[in-house]
Amino acid sequence: DGDKVYICRARGVFRHDGLTPLPGDIVTVIPDDTENANEGVIDSVDERRNSLIRPALANLTHLFEVLPAARPAPNLITADKLICTAEDKGIEPVIIITKTDIDPDSAERIAKIYKTGGFTVFCVSADGTMDAPLVEYIKKAAADRMVAAFAGASGAGKSTLMTRLFPTLSL
């Protein structure tokens, strides 16, 4: 309903059908007829393009894998597993290497690995001076109705990066 936000609960029949609505699902909502004009019921869930178990998400077009160049040390095996999962589900993996100002050599080495594999790679630093190419990529993808998630190890810089890219999030 345009920009209106509804607080919804799922119909009980979903439980019997073994269906759990996920973030990213395209749903039909029936608004409550009561005084709670911002509440409703999820009546149906459209067929999913894809879904992930962990994190539980649906219909992603892009998965932004945030890898630190340093502190904590980058775990490329875990990153590779997430990238493989994205590829298997038809999700565009995008690698973002953070903390490049701390260890530029590590950032360059990691970027070369993934660029050689044909992946889209962005390197960013703590001061935000390297964000412009990533911002342009996100704007272009958003115009094509991007549904995205950011993933990565604890301490990789996801919250810092997202706060810079999307200041209204207030993370």
Side-chain angles (χ1 to χ4, degrees), residues 33-45:
D33 290 333
T34 65
E35 66 279 352
N36 298 321
N38 66 332
E39 293 184 7
V41 175
I42 298 174
D43 187 56
S44 65
V45 177

Side-chain angles (χ1 to χ4, degrees), residues 5-6 10 32 35 38 46 48 56 58 81 86 100-101 118 121 126-127 132 146 171:
V5 175
Y6 291 95
D32 281 349
E35 66 279 352
N38 66 332
D46 288 0
R48 293 178 177 145
K81 288 178 183 178
T100 59
D101 48 321
V121 178
D127 62 7
M146 170 179 59
L171 298 174

Side-chain angles (χ1 to χ4, degrees), residues 65-68 72-73 75 78 151-158:
E65 169 65 29
V66 181
L67 273 169
N75 186 334
T78 301
S154 178
K158 297 179 299 292

Side-chain angles (χ1 to χ4, degrees), residues 21-164:
L22 299 175
D25 272 333
I26 299 168
V27 300
T28 301
V29 173
I30 298 175
D32 281 349
D33 290 333
T34 65
E35 66 279 352
N36 298 321
N38 66 332
E39 293 184 7
V41 175
I42 298 174
D43 187 56
S44 65
V45 177
D46 288 0
E47 186 175 341
R48 293 178 177 145
R49 171 186 167 161
N50 55 49
S51 65
L52 299 176
I53 296 171
R54 184 174 171 192
L57 299 167
N59 298 313
L60 291 178
T61 60
H62 293 76
L63 183 64
F64 291 90
E65 169 65 29
V66 181
L67 273 169
R71 286 189 239 147
N75 186 334
L76 301 185
I77 292 173
T78 301
D80 289 351
K81 288 178 183 178
L82 193 57
I83 291 165
C84 287
T85 299
E87 286 277 326
D88 181 58
K89 301 289 186 175
I91 302 167
E92 178 73 25
V94 178
I95 293 81
I96 302 173
I97 303 168
T98 60
K99 305 182 183 185
T100 59
D101 48 321
I102 296 173
D103 192 344
D105 293 335
S106 174
E108 186 176 321
R109 180 182 59 80
I110 295 167
K112 183 178 179 183
I113 290 168
Y114 290 106
K115 285 180 181 177
T116 300
F119 297 102
T120 302
V121 178
F122 296 97
C123 292
V124 298
S125 60
D127 62 7
T129 57
M130 301 171 70
D131 290 355
L134 176 58
V135 169
E136 287 306 310
Y137 180 89
I138 291 172
K139 283 181 182 176
K140 183 178 178 199
D144 293 332
R145 305 204 40 101
M146 170 179 59
V147 177
F150 283 69
S154 178
K158 297 179 299 292
S159 295
T160 301
L161 176 63
M162 291 185 68
T163 298
R164 264 198 337 262

Side-chain angles (χ1 to χ4, degrees), residues 2-16:
D3 293 328
K4 186 159 175 126
V5 175
Y6 291 95
I7 299 169
C8 296
R9 61 191 181 285
R11 293 185 58 205
V13 71
F14 293 154
R15 191 171 36 253
H16 299 295

